[in-house]
Amino acid sequence: MIEDQVQDRARLLAEDIDRELARILAVGEVLALSESLTSDDLASFHDYATKVRDLLGTNVLLRDLASQQLVNTRVPWGNPLPRNPIFDADRAAISTRLPKFSNLLTGAVARTRLLIVVVPVIRNDEVKYLLSLTISLERLQSIFTPDRLPPGWIAGLIDRTGTIIARSKSGDELVGTKLPDEVWTKVRDVPEGVQHIANIDRFMSLQSYQRSEYSGWLVGVSVPDALVNSAPQRTLTLFAAGGLLLFLLGLAVALALARGLAMPITQLAAAARALGLGRPLSAVYPGVAEIRAVDEALRDTADLIGRRTADLRDSETRLRRVVEGAPFPAIVHAEDGEIIHVNRAWLDASGYSRAEIPTMSDWSSRAFHDNAGPSSNFDRLHALDRPLEEGEHAVVTSEGLERAWAFRSAPIGRDGGGRRLVVTMAVDLTERKDAEARLRLLMGEVDHRAKNALAVVQSIVILSRAESPADFAEVVQGRVAAIARAHTLLANTRWSGADLTTMIRQELEAHTTPGRMDISGVPVTIVATSAQAMSIVLHELTINAAKHGSLSKATGRVAVAFEVDQRNGTLVLNWEENGGPTVNTPKRRGFGTLIIERTIRNQLGGEEDRQWDPAGLRFRMVLPAHHFMTSGIVSAAPMPRPANDEPTRPSSGVRVLLVEDEALTALAMAHAVEEAGYQVLGPVGRAQDAIDMAQTTRPDVAVLDFNLLGQTSLPIARVLASMGVPFLFCTGYDSLNGVDPDLRDVTVLTKPVSPADLTTAISTLLTVEAGGVTSLR
């Protein structure tokens, strides 16, 4: 019956639409799993999505949850992008976390009518992005061309609002228009069977509708009454006119007719068998109209099957290209375990050949211990109709190496044999996990070193001796500063060691001028584990020279020479002082002497010897070979000290703005500045508070910590520079050259800083003309 034909045609067209939508949806779900999206590398994702666009002819769009476009393959990367309105499909995708198809809408960039599928990109169990792929109206229209329908029949595609998406008749004119309310009211709920109602052209017709399973759109087929009624009426007229003649001739021609039908019916049977086998149809005797009609129907069916087969083959080819070109491992497999396709990334990452893994069972037996890998649940995947995470698993490569892969699977319909298909994608997490392990190890090492440094500082505080609190503070501060200088040298060489020449020069320059020292020796690097102990020894020698030895007089000098003893591989260092006061053998050992002796003999396992020559101290130290290297790692040169070693006392009323977020450090700095005769503004620990204070009470000079509670003090520096106020940085960073090129000439004091160095630097800044202050952009 014609009603059955109309229903069948609507069902077949709906299947064609769903096949096209399934292809685009599969591409979107593969894109949503790309590594560039996982790492938020949107520039790389744009390149990848552009390749997909060129391959499949579908535009790719990435938006945030506020519908701001982040990537659009219609325009080059880096171009400004608009914000889309939030579509109903967006809201549905966010709330259900499932892909959703839109109704007909207008693009924000192309400004043309289009359809999209919205795929939610899920990270950490939350929707992070909205990925959209356009659906070609031309491709949908090609499914509804008149040549795919019997003459006079009309078919169309309608979205969920009653708007025409495609139509076999007058498609260019009617796409984008809505069905009349009286028609839409009758068809929007997809009535069962065939209806006899007026179509959009106002002609009464037989109509059947079928809903797309993926999108919810309606496929409608309409046959005007004129075509439905013409065949029966013509048959009735012929019967009435020729009935008598047929009756008279019936008996005469019955035998001849039977003989005439036998051959074409046999030919029809052969044609039907050829159609079932996919072979070309043989010719059929054309003499009988009914036989000819059946033959034409068979040939129409063969053409339809051929077009659908070609479309399916084309869709599968495009899907295969997407899977093959994916930068991450991807594999397509059927519910019976056969691997349909595996991409190059999968084979390269695992090391197995395609011949080694024809089935998922073969893959599991090779790649997983005891077959303990992911097992895709086809029933659940196809019931939920969305991607599912399958967890992390240890994959054994063909070389026997173990890699950490995270798997995700998604249903992609059925193949030609009706088998359900699933695509499984993987991300190799091995490098990331190794990096995390290295980071944890590094954090543990940093924690270990920090605790060791704190323990040494604690010991210095406990063991240091002085006759007054001020002297005690000076002694402790000097020893802590020596440790800090050693740590700075080690940081500059990534803890590979500290240059011995630099260590000696820095200790001496902290208490004298370069012209009063003589340092000579082969390139020697003190290993990281011994650098802190060596810095303490050098500091105690320098302090002794500055207070009691050659450096306590303007004419005194210190000569330090070191070499490697080729006989036993030890390092020999000689310290000689001259030009100071006459030296007498001390009656008791001081605390500094005890520190030197215990450090060299007990901690470093070396030897030390001192001679109290009247001309000056003669000190000799021998270190075993495992405490040094002769590679000569040269550390960064220390900051030059101001030329004015004895700055003048400041005039009363000089205001110093102190910006420091560490409370104890701020109090110590304020105490040192006030003791030097300056007026302190602050201290303050926040950038905006410092700016407000500077603009309310103009300072004469400022000392800025660079890192303030996680933010930099650059905004303060810019305000001070615009006011002509000189400033310096007092920070834990060794250098700010890589932070901002405009800070190249700004003085940087590295923490911890002694009160004398701090006040000397402030005094030096006050002598600089206002025009000499660095200008910051």
Side-chain angles (χ1 to χ4, degrees), residues 63 87 100-102 105 114-118 132-135:
R63 295 170 287 148
F87 305 120
K100 296 296 178 182
F101 289 85
S102 73
L105 49 85
L114 51 83
L115 297 158
I116 61 173
V117 56
V118 181
S132 306
L133 281 76
T134 59
I135 302 169

Side-chain angles (χ1 to χ4, degrees), residues 482-536:
I483 296 173
R485 284 191 289 271
H487 276 256
T488 299
L489 291 177
L490 292 173
N492 289 338
T493 63
R494 299 181 181 271
W495 285 81
S496 59
D499 176 52
L500 179 57
T501 300
T502 304
M503 294 178 71
I504 299 170
R505 187 179 65 249
Q506 284 191 348
E507 285 299 330
L508 289 172
E509 284 183 345
H511 298 278
T512 188
T513 59
R516 299 176 63 189
M517 66 181 76
D518 182 16
I519 305 172
S520 61
V522 297
V524 169
T525 298
I526 305 299
V527 299
T529 53
S530 305
Q532 183 172 279
M534 176 61 81
S535 69
I536 292 175

Side-chain angles (χ1 to χ4, degrees), residues 449-643:
R449 290 175 178 174
K451 288 178 179 177
N452 275 351
L454 290 174
V456 172
V457 172
Q458 183 184 44
S459 300
I460 288 173
V461 173
I462 294 173
L463 298 175
S464 294
R465 299 289 185 269
E467 295 181 355
S468 68
D471 292 341
F472 176 81
E474 182 180 358
V475 168
V476 170
Q477 194 168 47
R479 287 168 179 161
V480 171
I483 296 173
R485 284 191 289 271
H487 276 256
T488 299
L489 291 177
L490 292 173
N492 289 338
T493 63
R494 299 181 181 271
W495 285 81
S496 59
D499 176 52
L500 179 57
T501 300
T502 304
M503 294 178 71
I504 299 170
R505 187 179 65 249
Q506 284 191 348
E507 285 299 330
L508 289 172
E509 284 183 345
H511 298 278
T512 188
T513 59
R516 299 176 63 189
M517 66 181 76
D518 182 16
I519 305 172
S520 61
V522 297
V524 169
T525 298
I526 305 299
V527 299
T529 53
S530 305
Q532 183 172 279
M534 176 61 81
S535 69
I536 292 175
V537 171
L538 294 173
H539 175 72
E540 295 300 328
L541 288 169
T542 303
I543 288 296
N544 181 73
K547 289 187 175 182
H548 311 292
S550 61
L551 298 184
S552 63
K553 284 193 174 184
T555 58
R557 295 178 57 83
V558 172
V560 185
F562 49 88
E563 63 180 355
V564 177
D565 189 333
Q566 300 301 324
R567 296 172 300 174
N568 54 23
T570 59
L571 176 66
V572 179
L573 182 145
N574 289 294
W575 176 289
E576 295 187 0
E577 300 180 18
N578 292 284
T582 301
V583 175
N584 298 311
T585 302
K587 296 179 180 180
R588 64 179 181 86
R589 288 192 307 169
F591 183 63
T593 302
L594 179 63
I595 289 178
I596 293 173
E597 180 181 316
R598 293 287 179 86
T599 301
I600 294 176
R601 293 184 178 276
N602 296 351
Q603 182 173 349
L604 299 177
E607 300 175 5
E608 56 89 23
D609 178 62
R610 58 178 53 82
Q611 297 177 12
W612 307 102
D613 191 296
L617 173 66
R618 303 292 184 262
F619 175 83
R620 185 174 185 270
M621 174 174 60
V622 179
L623 286 184
H626 61 271
H627 290 298
F628 67 94
M629 301 178 293
T630 55
S631 58
I633 298 176
V634 179
S635 305
M639 293 295 297
R641 289 175 56 81

Side-chain angles (χ1 to χ4, degrees), residues 83 336 639 711:
R83 183 190 299 273
D336 61 2
M639 293 295 297
Q711 298 180 342

